[in-house]
Structure formats: structure tokens, C-alpha cells
Amino acid sequence: MWGSNGGSAINRTSAGHRALAPRLTKLRSQRDINLWRIPLQLSLAAVALFGITLIPDVLDKYGLIHIPSWLTMGSIDDARAILSSMMGAVATVLALIFSVALLVLSMVSTLFGPRLLYRFLQDWVTQTTIGLFMGTFVYICLVFLVTHQDPRSSFIPQISLITSWVLVVFSFGFLVYYSHRIARSIQNPDMIGAIVDDLYAAAGSAHASGPGEGTGATPDDAAIQRQAETGSTVSCAKSGYLQHVDHGALVAATRAADALIVLRFRPGQFVLRGEPLAAVVPAGKLCALEAEIDHAIRIGRHRTLTQDSEFGIAQVVEIAIRALSPAINDTFTGVACVDWLAEALLTLAERPPLEGNWYDTGGQLRVWMPSVRLERLAKLAFDQIRQAAATTPAVLIRQLDAIRRLAPRLPDVCRRALSDQADAILESASALVALDRRDLEAAWRRAHTVLEAPVPQAVSRNTFT
């Protein structure tokens, strides 16, 4: 079973820290993307509310209770006129909201890239605004249907009329907040900062030990790979990105079977149909673990941020590259992306050091996965922006400044990657005018002064596998 993508994605084949500081943010699943769930729930709630408010109106009609005159809204003609006006206004605004939402999605796709559309599609304010107006429209339609007059009787649901008016006022009030939210969310700094916040949440939770998991000594990756050659291979039956690994379930299953699962790919990597996805050691334990692997590993068409640190970096880099393109030429957004990428690297430097290695409570390695190293993430954060900003000295100088500020706070292996980036930035500045080149060389010297300084003891122990 593969979540929303459906279908099994494996076939059986034979073969001989430091904890993150708390931050008020929550990572939402990128698979939870829809514009109908909350509107549907609010529409059903409107039907239920209509049933509740209709009770006192029916009781008043039959004389069982008496509604005060100050709660009434006039005669039958007044009621139907008011309901018609409110229904037309709500329907018009609902159509406008859909138009604005589609316009925003088009702008986001152009300015930020299509891979960021999910952030707007799953925004609860947009969904709630649509749901409020849909629910209000459904409620008014129901009230309009029961409001009638004929030669034998008439029925004016006064409480329901008052409730309709309250719903319309509340919906239009929420529309103001919706407009504020949209205007704020499409600003570049807010978008970039929100991505880093999600990356922080993913870094703090994706690889945290769950129930039944423990810690152990760092394994020898080469020895694990040799051990995997003796096991049974699990092949991928569909192409796609590895999105999520439920390591808690795999650890529990492998402990019960006294086995080891060696994954060939990490979340974010593309797996081709038929490629080896995992190996089970010893080989005879495959039958006991095949179903659990099927349930615990999800393959999909899109990359997700849940366990894919590289994807968070790539999203910010994509914004920077689009901003620095000749069509847009937005230097300030490029500089902002460099600043937030520095924060993202600090966030990832603080995550637990044994990413990709999961143990049972006895300290026995049960699940192994290729790890993404911090120096690779640093290269990803700088390479493409440096290449796109070869003629934009402001962005190159800000990159060197970010390297200078990051160097004392990152492990030694990452400092070497930053030093290579600083040298590459200097080499790319050959086409700059003399004044800009002098400024860039000065920033390079400041960065190298820090890079060549001794690594603080606390930082050197903060390894990232």
C-alpha cells in the first residue's frame, strides 16, 4: 500500500546530538493537498445548523414559544427580498474568491515555481474562506426554500433569517483576513522564511526515535553494503520518488524477525521500476518482512519535505534562480534567499548525527539508509545561485558573507566545502568591473580568514552523517 498513490510498489526477487530548540511550527504533509475537504465539512455544518435554527421557528409557528418582535425581520416579502440579496452577494463573492485563488496560483507558479503550489493549495485560510461562503450559500438557500406563503398558511423562519445575516457578516469579515493573508503570503521573504520553518520542523521530527527505537554505535557503511550483498533483494515495481520511510514500523518488524533492512535509496531520490529498493539480511527473513516493507516505504510522483532535507534547500534555490533570471532580475530576492539558506544550513547542522541509522532498544542496527551529508547540502545551497549570479556582485558578496558567518558554527568537513565555494565565487567574478571585483575580493579575504581559523571544540564534535 502506498498512501494516496495507491498500489503496491515492491516485488520480491531472490539474491544470494543535539536536539533542536523548540519552535512554534508544524510541518504539513504535501500529500494532503485539496480544496474540497474543509468546504465540504463547512457545507455539511451549515445543513446541520439550519436544522437546529429551524426548531425554534417551527415551535413559534405552532405557538409553543414566542419569538420577541425585536428579533423579527419583517413580512414575508421583506424576508424573501433580504434572502435573495444575500444569496446573490454570497454567490458573487464566492466566484470572486475562486478567481483570486486561481490567479494567485498562476502568480506563484511563475514567480516561485510549480513545486511550491502545494503551500497555497493546503493553506487553511483559503480553504476556510471558500468553505464559509459555500456554507453560507447553502444555508441561505435552505432558508429561502422554507420561507413561503400560500392562501392557507405562511412561514417566516425569523431565527434562521437572523442567523443568515450573522453568517453573511462573519463571512465577509473573514474575507478581509483572507485578503490580508494572500497579500502577505505572496511576498518573497514570507515565502522563503516559511520554507525554512518547514525544514526546521522536518529536521526535528523526521528522524526522531519512536517507540521501540534506541541508539547505537555508528556503523561502517562499507561493511553494511557488503553485508547487504548476502541478503535478499526487494525490487521497486513502480517508478517514482521515495517519499517516506516508516522506520519505527521497520525497526519493530526487523527486531521481531532478528534481521536487518538495508535501503538502497533515501527519501528524495528517484527509483526506477525494477531497481533494487532494499535488501533483507539474512536472506531467509524476506518472507517475514516483505509485507512490512510494502507498508512502510512510500513511492510517489513528487518529492516531499517530510524526510527530504535536500528538497527544502532546492525550493529556496529555485526561488533565487528565478529571481536572478534575465526576465525578472530581482537582486534583493536573491540576497534574501542566500540569507535564509544560511539559516537552513544551521538548522540542518543541529539535527541528530545518525540520520539514516535506526536501532532497536538493545542498540542493534535494524534499518540502514544512505545518508545525505551536510557538505552536500552546502554545495546545493551555493552552487546554482553562484552560477546564476555570475554577473550580480551583490549576491556573490552576500554568499561570501554567509560563508564567513557560517564557518565558525559548522563542522570541519563542511568548512572545507565552504572554502571550495568561496574560491569558486572568486573565480566566477572575472567578468566584473574593477570596483566590484575589489569589493568581492575583500569579502573573500574576510571569509578565508574565518575559514582558516581553528574549529571550535564543540563544533568539531557536531558531526553530520
Side-chain angles (χ1 to χ4, degrees), residues 160-177:
S160 298
L161 282 169
I162 293 292
T163 305
S164 300
W165 178 83
V166 172
L167 287 176
V168 170
V169 171
F170 182 78
S171 298
F172 276 88
F174 200 86
L175 180 63
V176 176
Y177 179 66

Side-chain angles (χ1 to χ4, degrees), residues 125 173-187:
V125 174
F174 200 86
L175 180 63
V176 176
Y177 179 66
Y178 166 75
S179 302
H180 161 75
R181 175 81 167 219
I182 291 296
R184 190 184 66 176
S185 62
I186 62 176
Q187 296 182 54

Side-chain angles (χ1 to χ4, degrees), residues 15 52 106 127 150 229 298 383 462:
I52 294 172
S106 176
Q127 297 181 28
D150 56 50
E229 297 298 327
R298 183 169 57 247
D383 267 349
N462 183 25

Side-chain angles (χ1 to χ4, degrees), residues 90-103 175 178:
V90 169
T92 301
V93 174
L94 183 59
L96 179 62
I97 292 172
F98 277 112
S99 299
V100 170
L102 293 176
L103 177 61
L175 180 63
Y178 166 75

